[in-house]
């Protein structure tokens, strides 16, 4: 009728969820960076090729250069693409395990309730050509009881200022850790498992670096405990190398 404005149905774009694994050795981390090879760039380029339109990924945890992921989660607004075609366009050191439509508005980062990381340590005098990309070779004595005590001290809510770089974008440094423990793996490595709500940049690696100092008699256990009370980064110890760290899983709600 004259004088009436036309009405339009609102189009609600679907949300797609990806499950991803990658060997981080030759990547400059997850996040896109100009002139550097990153996991995000590789996947977004492949998605854009198939969908013929850009797809911007949101990720559960932005891993640093050299860090691996066994079950990274990412999401984007748009239809899923064919999984076989997507992996055919990706390099050999990254693979998408699933690409499925999920609930509208799902956000891989904001909706995550916990992340689980595993740091692998190779405590043998002789180095291993098989573990060099995926574990930290540590040929020096370690006190296993002290490693376990340090892990137990981490559980709970603490101020982790001493466990992230001083030059940081973080404003709040308290984090809640649900689980933290060391275990002997069947392949001869020592594994440090940690599950928390969120993690800061390099946080797990700095925690490991300090625990190793305690277990190697280069730092007192009491000093490690004091770091959890909000000490400055300069009071903390070294950052463990990236190749030992693996993002193992991300949890959402009741999963």
């Amino acid at each position: 009728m004259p004088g009436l404005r036309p009405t339009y149905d609102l189009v609600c774009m679907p949300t797609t969820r990806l499950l991803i694994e990658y060997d981080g050795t030759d990547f400059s981390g997850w996040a896109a960076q100009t002139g550097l090879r990153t996991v995000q760039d590789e996947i977004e380029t492949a998605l854009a090729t198939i969908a013929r339109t850009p797809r911007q990924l949101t990720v559960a945890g932005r891993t640093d250069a050299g860090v691996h992921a066994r079950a990274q989660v990412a999401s984007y607004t748009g239809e899923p693409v064919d999984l076989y075609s997507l992996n055919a366009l990706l390099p050999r050191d990254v693979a998408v395990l699933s690409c499925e439509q999920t609930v509208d508005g799902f956000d891989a980062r904001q909706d995550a309730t916990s992340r689980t990381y595993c740091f692998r340590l190779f405590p043998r005098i002789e180095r291993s050509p098989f573990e060099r990309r995926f574990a930290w070779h540590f040929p020096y004595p370690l006190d296993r009881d002290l490693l376990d005590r340090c892990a137990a001290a981490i559980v709970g809510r603490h101020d982790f200022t001493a466990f992230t770089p001083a030059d940081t974008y973080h404003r709040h440094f308290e984090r809640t850790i649900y689980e933290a423990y060391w275990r002997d793996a069947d392949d001869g490595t020592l594994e440090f498992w940690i599950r928390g709500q969120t993690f800061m940049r390099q946080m797990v690696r700095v925690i490991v670096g300090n625990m190793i100092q305690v277990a190697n008699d280069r730092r007192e256990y009491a000093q490690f405990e004091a770091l959890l009370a909000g000490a400055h980064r300069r009071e903390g110890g070294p950052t463990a190398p990236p190749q030992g760290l693996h993002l193992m899983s991300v949890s959402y709600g009741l999963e």
Side-chain angles (χ1 to χ4, degrees), residues 22-25 63-69 117 205 242-243 245-247:
Y22 49 86
D23 172 354
T25 305
T63 51
D64 293 327
V67 175
H68 317 291
Y117 287 88
R205 291 165 54 201
Q243 70 268 20
L245 187 59
H246 305 250
L247 173 61

Side-chain angles (χ1 to χ4, degrees), residues 147-148 150-156 177-182 192-195 207 211:
L147 284 178
D148 292 337
C150 288
I154 294 167
V155 177
I177 302 302
Y178 303 125
E179 291 181 290
Y181 60 90
W182 287 88
F192 173 63
W193 286 78
I194 183 168
R195 181 172 67 91
I207 288 174
M211 286 194 290

Side-chain angles (χ1 to χ4, degrees), residues 105-132:
F106 171 79
D107 186 294
R109 184 174 182 83
Q110 297 298 327
D111 293 342
T113 54
S114 70
R115 288 97 171 152
T116 298
Y117 287 88
C118 172
F119 191 97
R120 301 178 69 249
L121 190 74
F122 190 63
R124 191 177 75 181
I125 294 177
E126 300 82 12
R127 59 184 175 83
S128 167
F130 301 107
E131 294 292 350
R132 64 185 181 87

Side-chain angles (χ1 to χ4, degrees), residues 39-52:
V39 182
Q40 182 179 5
D41 272 334
E42 293 284 5
I43 299 177
E44 286 185 350
T45 298
L47 285 169
T49 300
I50 298 172
R52 299 184 180 180

Side-chain angles (χ1 to χ4, degrees), residues 24-33 35-39 63-66:
T25 305
D26 299 322
F27 286 107
S28 296
W30 165 271
Q33 302 171 66
L36 296 177
R37 182 174 185 257
T38 68
V39 182
T63 51
D64 293 327

